Amino acid sequence: MSLTNKYELTHPLSPSLKERGSGGESFRAVFFDMDGVLFDSMPGHAFAWAKVMTEYGLPMKEVDAFVNEGRTGIGTISIFTQRYWGRDATEEEARELYRRKTIVFNEYMASRGGEAPEIPGAGAVLNKVRACGMKRVLVTGSAQQSLLTRLEQHYPGHFTADLMVTGDDVRYGKPNPEPYLMALKKAGVTANEALVVENAPLGVRAAVAAGIPTIAVNTGPLPNHLLMDEGATWLFPSMQTLADVWDILFAPASGQQNK
Ligand code: MG
């Protein structure tokens, strides 16, 4: 299936590709963030961040975890040490706090069946992307070793090790465009041939800074404008909604023939 820039979209929150599109290139790859896009892991992360940071005298609310989602661990910690202690966290402080946060996160998950559930509709979106002949690329700040195994269990056949950018690959991480620029290279596509699916404002910022049209999916508690203000081209309330309109979004407008 070949795609042109003549698409129609009727979703009320989302302009059509014709209005804010990529300039006529065919889309060849979709870059997927993981937490909050493929797995419903953000509530656990938010719980752990708020609990542990507060224990360390750094008042953090769960919603702050969603606002800062995408930053590296030390990046998030330093935002709060700057605010309350007037300085960055030392590497040792950050390491200790992040170690504790990981323990609390794992406890939270263990008490709820062991692992984060799939985001409803994520599998349907992946299937639509595959049906369009587009590559699926994972772009996450997470650096778990079991990541590919877990993806394969839940979304079999969609992701491969050579088309993944993880926390182990990058120096800066989101909101720096680095991980998305790296994804373009790995996928062998230009920014105008790629799409990003992101749930976090800082993730959208990173993708937009890399010049890639970005689909924001608001699966968390933040107001929509935080995602749109970062430059998202489209906004959907859920992955299922995105799956439902995918064929409208990426079907040629009436009268257009596939080339
Ligand atoms: Mg995310």
Side-chain angles (χ1 to χ4, degrees), residues 29-35 37-39 122-123 125-127 129-130 134-140 147-166 195 197 239:
V30 183
F31 300 167
F32 289 89
D33 173 50
M34 187 172 73
D35 291 306
V37 169
L38 300 179
F39 293 109
V125 171
L126 287 168
N127 289 337
V129 170
R130 177 162 52 194
M134 301 176 191
K135 294 177 185 175
R136 284 82 58 207
V137 182
L138 186 82
V139 183
T140 180
L147 210 136
L148 186 57
T149 310
R150 190 141 177 272
L151 284 166
E152 195 53 29
Q153 281 166 1
H154 290 269
Y155 304 112
H158 282 295
F159 295 99
T160 53
D162 58 321
L163 290 182
M164 285 175 47
V165 176
T166 75
L195 290 166
V197 182
M239 288 294 274

Side-chain angles (χ1 to χ4, degrees), residues 89-106:
T90 65
E91 270 192 36
E92 197 182 340
E93 286 168 342
R95 201 169 28 241
E96 173 58 22
L97 207 151
Y98 196 72
R99 192 187 61 82
R100 172 90 184 112
K101 183 251 160 185
T102 303
I103 292 170
V104 173
F105 174 77
N106 289 338

Side-chain angles (χ1 to χ4, degrees), residues 167-204:
D168 287 331
D169 298 317
V170 298
R171 180 164 180 197
Y172 300 108
K174 303 170 191 177
N176 191 289
E178 178 195 27
Y180 281 113
L181 293 173
M182 205 174 270
L184 290 173
K185 215 173 204 177
K186 286 198 176 189
V189 299
T190 67
N192 283 333
E193 294 171 326
L195 290 166
V196 166
V197 182
E198 264 285 354
N199 71 304
L202 296 181
V204 173

